Amino acid sequence: MKRTDELAGSAPPLPSQEPIRLVDPQGHRVGEAEYLTPEPGTLLALLRAMIIGRRFDRQASALARQGRLAVYPSSHGQEACQVGGVLALADDDWLFPTYRDCVSLVTRGVDPVEVLTLLRGDWHSGYDPEPHRCAPQCTPLATNASHAVGLTYAARRKGQDAAALVLMGDGATSEGDAHEAYNFAAVWNTPVVFLIQNNRWAISVPVDKQTAAPTLAHKAIGYGMRGYNVDGNDAAAVHAVVSHALAEARAGGGPAIVEAQTYRLDPHTNSDDPQRYRDDAEVEYWKARDPLTRLEALLRGEGLLDDAEVERMSAEGERLAADVRERLSGPDRLTPEELFSHVYSTAPAMLRRQRQELLDEMRKG
Amino acid sequence: MAEISLGRALNRALHDALDGDPDVLVYGEDVGALGGVFRVTDGLTATFGEDRCFDSPLAEAGIVGTAIGIAMYGQRPVVEMQFDAFALPAFEQVVSHVAKMRNRTRGRVELPLVIRIPYGGGIGAVEHHADSSEAYFAHTPGLRVVTPATPADGYSMLREAIECPDPVVFLEPKRRYWATADIELPVRTEPMDRAVVRRPGTDVTLIAYGPMVATALEAAEAGQREGRDIEVIDLRSLSPFDEETVTESVRRTGRAVVVHEASTFGGYGAEVAARVTEQCFHYLEAPVLRVGGLDIPYPPPKLESYHLPNADRILDAIDRLQWESEWVPGGTGGQPPLHQTGVGA
Ligand SMILES: Cc1ncc(C[n+]2csc(CCOP(=O)(O)OP(=O)(O)O)c2C)c(N)n1
């Protein structure tokens, strides 16, 4: 057992009170020696993914209004977190998203229609987790965080250096499961980055009612891991810090919490009424810090982007939206008999009987 | 042949599983150097190293949650919950994720993990060390819930549970850890999802599982001396339920009593009684009775004998099955005892 004074030397530094920022809201670089601003190619990729992601998000919100989705939790305004985090992942890494993280899944390359399956309501998860290494979207808060710890632990046992990115909200950090996952990750020293999208609100509850910690990143200290506080509307900064944390974790430096300061511009879901708990001024303040316009301004200012390129990216977003619209139009294609197929590896007699009863019932109409 | 206890048989099953498959991992609280509070993991760390059997942080939700991730990556975690009531912090992980992962992902992700839980009372333990939580788990589709009653089944069913592609809640009747049998290991018994007839009989079927199988056999022995020929079924798998074996027996005997330790109200016995009634109604000579624990929080150790079903209560229930008309509704002087319900009165 180490003595306290010996331990003090190895404790991770406190996260900064001011979020790490590489690009200011006007689109100018700000000096930040520690974190490398991504290369122009990466910056363009970030902008492209955010433009496509936002278009997808707008389309999904519209589909929810039309009743084509059962519900949609928008991530409008949080694109820098989802895109910046996901583009920092290597192909072999895993993503553990929540219901709010559809844009992260689209960015990861999952078919956008399959991304919406959960929210459309014809199955719980629409995609095969394996090919894109994306766990199913998680609805109970914080419960998937420990799955990521176990998965990376198993990978390391096999001599593979897969890391994992867990997306979670500010509210979710109050859950016991979050605590257990942070602690397991730190004790087992597994390469997991917990990216907290602090969008200020857990439905109607503000973040200052969730925690008394100076920042959510500070929570990392108690577990003996590193915590980073980053401007969550600065895609370059999110990407740089998550990349840095992943690299450290892979090198054996342990897991990290990255808190991204961002904002949910839309209601919690399409059925929420934010007028009841927050004022318009707050929304306006954050609108002025839009992650897309910021990165676009930087790239234009530095001559890395022109109208034609923006046009091309937007057209990609339009094509994706049209494709989603097209494929989600028409009648539902439901497969009720499949309800019994995946409960066990082999269906027990009881389920085989119930399946037959349902089929008979359907035949009778 | 050798005298082997249930606890040792489980230990040997873990040993052989670790030996046979490098993807099998055993972890939990105090399972390493100590060998578990019941010593079921005794010697495993010494033999296989910390990489294969190890102590985790003390956090049940985290233990099951990490096991989910490990299983997602194709390995086979076997985790120990130290005592029944202490599995409850992990309950959400079990119900919301373990049970549902295959179904959520349309069969693409399977979770071959085993959650071992010592359960039930009868060992004089203090509060929160003697609960029977089988009904909570058995109510959850997607889980296999099994419980061995003999050392041979302990070995065989645990090996099978570890090999099973589905997640298994493996309930170990802690009061039977020290019960021995003369067996040779390794052994393979009947498939784990099948019920077995432990003692054939023609007059009545006792349906029991886990800790109550021995008690039911004891009752059958005593009943024999009173001239009753009692059949005892050991369910072994609570979910899925082996309707075939149970139905065949009850249609033959025409009478059935379900026995379990857990509180009777809303318990697993209610499910069995309902199913038996649905499947065997025209063969039944009497209502299906339940003998279970009292509908009270698990009692303090010095009072637990009042709660736990014993052979006498089981025999009383059998008497109440209108045997040779010796029991008349309302004729025994007052109410049926609290631990028996379903009597047609
Ligand atoms: C364990 C649990 N409790 C409650 C809920 C209901 N719920 C859904 S979202 C939400 C707020 C979550 O807030 P936060 O973690 O900040 O994420 P955000 O939705 O803002 O992205 C609540 C309470 C839930 N999904 N899971």
Side-chain angles (χ1 to χ4, degrees):
Chain A
M1 183 74 190
K2 280 188 193 174
R3 296 217 336 267
T4 316
D5 54 349
E6 284 175 294
L7 275 174
S10 63
L14 282 176
S16 58
Q17 197 75 39
E18 274 303 303
I20 300 160
R21 175 179 289 163
L22 299 178
V23 181
D24 72 15
Q26 289 70 44
H28 303 117
R29 286 178 192 254
V30 289
E32 182 59 77
E34 246 182 286
Y35 305 96
L36 288 179
T37 302
E39 297 297 316
T42 305
L43 293 174
L44 284 165
L46 288 166
L47 181 66
R48 172 181 167 270
M50 287 201 292
I51 288 174
I52 293 172
R54 174 160 297 179
R55 185 62 192 89
F56 165 84
D57 188 86
R58 297 299 76 200
Q59 182 58 62
S61 292
L63 288 167
R65 275 195 304 278
Q66 297 158 15
R68 292 223 155 249
L69 301 180
V71 68
Y72 184 69
S74 166
S75 56
H76 183 201
Q78 300 181 212
E79 293 88 348
C81 303
Q82 306 213 355
V83 164
V86 165
L87 292 186
L89 290 171
D91 286 349
D92 284 347
D93 292 342
W94 276 76
L95 175 70
F96 285 78
T98 76
Y99 52 85
R100 187 164 318 279
D101 303 315
C102 294
V103 167
S104 76
L105 286 161
V106 172
T107 304
R108 187 73 172 155
V110 179
D111 178 344
V113 169
E114 294 187 351
V115 168
L116 292 175
T117 303
L118 169 77
L119 302 159
R120 189 188 186 199
D122 40 15
W123 204 265
H124 301 303
S125 174
Y127 50 88
D128 181 352
E130 200 59 47
H132 295 285
R133 304 203 151 208
C134 296
Q137 283 164 285
C138 192
T139 309
L141 299 168
T143 50
N144 63 350
S146 56
H147 307 176
V149 179
L151 183 135
T152 49
Y153 181 86
R156 218 181 38 185
R157 277 196 79 235
K158 289 210 152 136
Q160 296 159 0
D161 76 344
L165 181 71
V166 178
L167 298 178
M168 57 203 308
D170 42 298
T173 65
S174 300
E175 291 279 0
D177 277 289
H179 160 78
E180 294 193 20
Y182 300 157
N183 192 50
F184 265 83
V187 172
W188 286 2
N189 191 23
T190 58
V192 179
V193 173
F194 303 95
L195 176 58
I196 300 167
Q197 297 177 71
N198 178 358
N199 65 9
R200 296 291 176 284
W201 296 93
I203 309 188
S204 65
V205 183
V207 65
D208 62 10
K209 286 196 182 163
Q210 296 294 347
T211 182
T215 71
L216 296 172
H218 276 74
K219 291 191 182 233
I221 299 306
Y223 301 99
M225 60 174 157
R226 291 156 302 126
Y228 301 91
N229 177 14
V230 61
D231 183 332
N233 283 14
D234 176 354
V238 174
H239 185 271
V241 171
V242 172
S243 300
H244 175 88
L246 284 168
E248 287 249 305
R250 276 204 198 87
I257 287 177
V258 176
E259 176 187 3
Q261 308 294 342
T262 185
Y263 195 74
R264 151 166 75 71
L265 289 172
D266 275 14
H268 172 69
T269 68
N270 53 300
S271 51
D272 169 48
D273 176 12
Q275 303 287 342
R276 285 168 167 264
Y277 54 84
R278 69 182 190 190
D279 57 33
D280 293 344
E282 183 181 289
V283 181
E284 290 311 314
Y285 171 89
W286 283 96
K287 269 190 184 152
R289 278 151 185 77
D290 190 294
L292 273 71
T293 48
R294 183 188 307 197
L295 187 56
E296 187 179 333
L298 173 88
L299 289 164
R300 281 183 186 271
E302 297 191 349
L304 296 165
L305 184 73
D306 56 19
D307 289 346
E309 186 62 14
V310 174
E311 196 50 47
R312 217 181 50 76
M313 291 175 180
S314 304
E316 253 188 282
E318 286 310 325
R319 278 199 299 279
L320 182 140
D323 176 56
V324 168
R325 261 197 323 271
E326 161 71 24
R327 286 198 284 146
L328 289 187
S329 66
D332 289 337
R333 286 176 295 273
L334 303 177
T335 50
E337 68 280 5
E338 205 189 343
L339 290 170
F340 305 93
S341 307
H342 314 299
V343 184
Y344 297 96
S345 51
T346 46
M350 189 173 92
L351 286 188
R352 290 200 305 271
R353 182 162 1 103
Q354 287 182 0
R355 179 177 183 277
Q356 193 52 52
E357 282 166 10
L358 182 71
L359 289 176
D360 292 346
E361 196 179 292
M362 284 160 59
R363 213 163 291 129
K364 278 187 236 143
Chain B
M1 298 288 224
E3 281 292 306
I4 293 169
S5 68
L6 173 62
R8 290 309 297 170
L10 294 167
N11 175 266
R12 178 70 189 280
L14 292 172
H15 175 281
D16 292 356
L18 284 162
D19 204 30
D21 180 354
D23 280 337
V24 174
L25 296 181
V26 174
Y27 67 98
E29 296 159 10
D30 305 294
V31 300
L34 182 67
V37 291
F38 292 106
R39 306 292 181 269
V40 173
T41 56
D42 189 28
L44 299 179
T45 303
T47 308
F48 297 99
E50 283 253 17
D51 176 49
R52 307 292 306 286
C53 176
F54 52 93
D55 292 323
S56 70
L58 206 170
E60 293 75 14
I63 291 171
V64 173
T66 51
I68 290 169
I70 291 172
M72 276 176 81
Y73 213 77
Q75 299 184 23
R76 293 182 178 264
V78 182
V79 295
E80 177 174 303
M81 302 280 105
Q82 200 157 67
F83 283 91
D84 30 54
F86 309 136
L88 297 179
F91 194 61
E92 186 196 1
Q93 288 287 353
V94 177
V95 173
S96 295
H97 294 294
V98 172
K100 291 179 176 163
M101 187 65 85
R102 172 185 292 279
N103 192 62
R104 290 165 85 195
T105 62
R106 288 197 143 101
R108 285 146 175 166
V109 178
E110 52 187 30
L111 296 182
L113 63 87
V114 179
I115 303 170
R116 294 182 35 241
I117 311 179
Y119 82 120
I123 64 164
V126 295
E127 204 186 9
H128 298 122
H129 290 74
D131 293 320
S132 297
S133 41
E134 67 269 24
Y136 303 129
F137 296 114
H139 186 61
T140 306
L143 298 178
R144 289 182 187 274
V145 183
V146 303
T147 176
T150 67
D153 267 356
Y155 180 88
S156 182
M157 289 168 72
L158 186 50
R159 291 296 307 271
E160 205 182 328
I162 296 169
E163 287 157 11
C164 181
D166 297 322
V168 180
V169 173
F170 194 88
L171 299 170
E172 300 173 3
K174 64 169 89 81
R175 65 198 280 193
R176 306 289 175 204
Y177 272 140
W178 302 273
T180 60
D182 208 13
I183 51 166
E184 193 78 65
L185 296 181
V187 66
R188 284 297 169 127
T189 58
E190 295 80 1
M192 123 186 130
D193 54 2
R194 286 252 298 281
V196 300
V197 176
R198 285 277 171 236
R199 182 189 203 279
T202 54
D203 297 346
V204 57
T205 303
L206 285 182
I207 303 162
Y209 55 86
M212 279 294 120
V213 173
T215 311
L217 287 169
E218 194 190 319
E221 278 300 313
Q224 178 88 42
R225 291 194 288 277
E226 297 171 11
R228 307 246 195 257
D229 189 12
I230 299 168
E231 180 147 311
V232 176
I233 289 184
D234 175 357
L235 283 181
R236 301 165 85 247
S237 174
L238 306 186
S239 178
F241 173 67
D242 178 0
E243 216 162 60
E244 210 181 302
T245 303
V246 173
T247 302
E248 190 281 320
S249 170
V250 177
R251 287 186 177 181
R252 192 157 35 71
T253 63
R255 293 176 170 87
V257 179
V258 196
V259 189
H260 60 57
E261 256 189 53
S263 297
T264 311
F265 186 86
Y268 186 75
E271 179 60 43
V272 176
R275 273 182 191 273
V276 168
T277 305
E278 285 168 4
Q279 300 296 323
C280 309
F281 185 75
H282 297 291
Y283 299 81
L284 287 173
E285 309 274 352
V288 181
L289 297 191
R290 288 172 291 161
V291 176
L294 304 179
D295 294 318
I296 56 171
Y298 197 89
K302 289 186 178 160
L303 296 172
E304 70 179 341
S305 65
Y306 295 98
H307 168 74
L308 293 171
N310 55 23
D312 281 346
R313 283 191 189 167
I314 296 171
L315 288 170
D316 284 351
I318 291 174
D319 287 346
R320 287 178 177 280
L321 292 170
Q322 308 178 48
W323 213 283
E324 291 142 11
S325 305
E326 63 197 32
W327 181 70
V328 189
T332 50
Q335 298 284 318
L338 282 172
H339 58 274
Q340 293 172 23
T341 54
V343 179

